[in-house]
Every structure is written in structure tokens, then in C-alpha cells.
């Protein structure tokens, strides 16, 4: 069983994907970490994330990079959005993601092109979204919780810029895949969002079973 969870930054897709993984007993991959790893590797190599050659060279990273706590920072998240617009970078990371999805028993993957490019034949597809201001507030609250001093205006601007890059890129743009259910988490608690996600997945699996 393969479940694809897509959506923009701070929509809640990662939290929902992990909860689905617990519920169905499946391994889960946050594919955004792969692009964050590329962005971080470019930074460490003093390269330019906007140069495709520099970004592509950084794709040959070791899996140990995926456990680096700095991958979760806003700065690296922004770098990930910049390197992900390069078609050759996306092509270089496709097989890693498909190999994860193809493991025995299935898997859950979350990202921005899972249901459209990586596993378009996934058994269940969810597109998780939320308003820009709600997503910025989540980033703000997370920053405060970790002892930071985030600026709300900067967070809103960053999210809007990332949305624009993700949705307007020529290769694998962020969009709702055919057959995907839309889940807006703007006014939902985490528990409510997870329960709705489970209900949507169960309904999709049931429809496939009857088809």
C-alpha cells in the first residue's frame, strides 16, 4: 500500500504523513529532507543554490546527512525550495524516492510531487493545504517554542515566495494530483486533521477495492 501526501510548506503534511504511518504501520519518508540535504550540501560547499550545476553536484550526498538537525531550519528550507526548481536535481532524486515506495508492504511519502510524479499510481492520495497566514503562524509558534525570535512579516514573505517557486516551476510543479482528496487544515486541530486524513485514505482504499 502506497500513500502519497502532497502540499505546500507548513500545511501539516509531514505531521499527517507520520500519523498515517503510525496508523497503518508503514515506513514514512519526508522527501523534502532530500532537497534540504541538497541545499545544505550546496551551502557547505560554498556553492550557489540557484546554479543548476552546483545543485546537481550536491545531490550525491551520504544518507547520514539526513539526520543533521540543521536540515529543519528555515534557512535550509529556503535553500531546498531554490534547488528543487532545477529539473536535473529532481531527476537525480527520483529513484531514491521510488525505491523507498517500492519496499515490501508499501510506504508513505510526503512532498510536493509525490502523487503527480514519484508514485502517480499510489493507492491513496491526499493534498494537504492551509492559508498562508495560518502556515506562517505555525512557523512563528515553532520558532518561539525553540527559543527563536521570528518575524511574522518575513515568514509570510518566505512562504509566499516558496509557494510561487513550487507552483510555477516548469518541472514537477506543486499541484493537486488527479484523484487526490484535498484536506484544508487551516481550522483543524492536529487530531482532527489526522482523523480526516485517515477517513479520506480509508475511503480511497475502499473505492479501489470495489473497482
Amino acid at each position: 500500500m502506497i500513500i502519497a501526501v502532497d502540499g505546500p510548506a507548513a500545511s501539516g503534511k509531514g505531521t499527517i504523513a507520520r500519523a498515517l504511518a503510525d496508523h497503518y504501520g508503514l515506513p514514512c519518508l519526508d522527501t523534502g529532507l532530500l532537497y534540504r540535504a541538497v541545499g545544505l550540501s550546496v551551502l557547505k560547499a560554498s556553492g550557489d543554490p540557484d546554479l543548476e550545476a552546483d545543485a546537481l553536484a550536491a545531490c550525491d550526498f551520504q544518507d547520514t546527512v539526513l539526520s543533521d538537525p540543521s536540515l529543519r531550519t528555515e534557512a535550509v528550507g529556503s535553500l531546498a525550495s531554490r534547488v528543487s526548481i532545477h529539473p536535473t536535481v529532481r531527476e537525480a532524486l527520483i529513484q531514491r524516492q521510488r525505491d523507498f515506495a517500492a519496499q515490501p508492504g508499501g510506504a508513505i511519502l510526503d512532498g510536493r510531487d509525490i502523487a503527480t510524479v514519484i508514485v502517480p499510481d499510489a493507492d491513496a492520495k491526499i493534498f494537504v493545504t492551509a492559508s498562508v497566514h495560518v502556515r506562517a503562524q505555525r512557523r512563528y509558534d515553532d520558532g518561539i517554542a525553540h527559543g527563536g525570535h521570528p518575524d511574522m512579516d518575513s515568514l509570510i514573505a518566505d512562504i509566499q515566495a516558496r509557494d510561487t517557486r513550487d507552483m510555477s516551476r516548469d518541472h514537477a510543479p506543486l499541484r493537486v494530483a488527479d484523484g487526490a482528496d484535498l484536506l484544508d487544515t487551516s481550522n483543524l486541530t492536529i487530531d482532527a486533521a489526522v482523523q480526516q486524513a485517515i477517513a479520506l485514505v480509508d475511503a480511497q482504499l475502499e473505492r479501489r477495492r470495489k473497482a
Side-chain angles (χ1 to χ4, degrees):
M1 179 171 67
I2 300 174
I3 300 174
V5 183
D6 289 305
S11 60
K13 66 182 183 296
T15 299
I16 287 172
R18 290 189 295 273
L20 290 174
D22 289 340
H23 181 78
Y24 294 105
L26 294 172
C28 182
L29 175 64
D30 174 359
T31 64
L33 284 181
L34 302 179
Y35 293 96
R36 285 172 178 260
V38 173
L40 181 61
S41 297
V42 170
L43 182 65
K44 289 183 174 180
S46 300
D48 183 347
D50 298 318
L51 287 180
E52 190 163 11
D54 286 0
L56 181 59
C59 288
D60 190 25
F61 59 83
Q62 297 297 314
D63 286 344
T64 53
V65 175
L66 298 176
S67 61
D68 190 324
S70 64
L71 290 182
R72 298 290 184 179
T73 63
E74 285 296 317
V76 174
S78 181
L79 289 173
S81 180
R82 291 163 65 185
V83 301
S84 68
I85 69 170
H86 303 306
T88 55
V89 170
R90 304 197 72 85
E91 288 294 332
L93 298 179
I94 280 179
Q95 199 56 49
R96 283 194 193 217
Q97 298 169 74
R98 288 181 174 163
D99 287 346
F100 188 90
Q103 60 187 296
I108 295 176
L109 293 83
D110 81 79
R112 287 169 172 74
D113 64 346
I114 307 304
T116 55
V117 175
I118 305 303
V119 284
D121 294 327
D123 298 285
K125 309 172 185 179
I126 299 178
F127 189 94
V128 184
T129 189
S131 71
V132 170
H133 283 81
V134 166
R135 290 187 281 141
Q137 185 65 52
R138 291 171 180 169
R139 291 293 196 218
Y140 180 88
D141 293 342
D142 186 60
I144 293 295
H146 287 85
H149 299 85
D151 177 74
M152 180 60 80
D153 290 339
S154 295
L155 290 173
I156 291 174
D158 180 65
I159 285 176
Q160 290 175 327
R162 290 171 68 176
D163 285 353
T164 299
R165 283 195 297 269
D166 292 341
M167 292 187 292
S168 62
R169 63 186 178 224
D170 293 331
H171 188 73
L174 172 67
R175 64 177 180 83
V176 182
D178 292 339
D181 283 324
L182 187 66
L183 176 56
D184 191 328
T185 65
S186 298
N187 300 308
L188 298 176
T189 64
I190 292 175
D191 288 344
V194 168
Q195 290 306 310
Q196 285 199 25
I198 292 172
L200 291 172
V201 169
D202 284 346
Q204 288 191 43
L205 294 176
E206 181 65 14
R207 287 197 296 271
R208 288 178 70 92
R209 187 185 68 80
K210 292 180 177 180

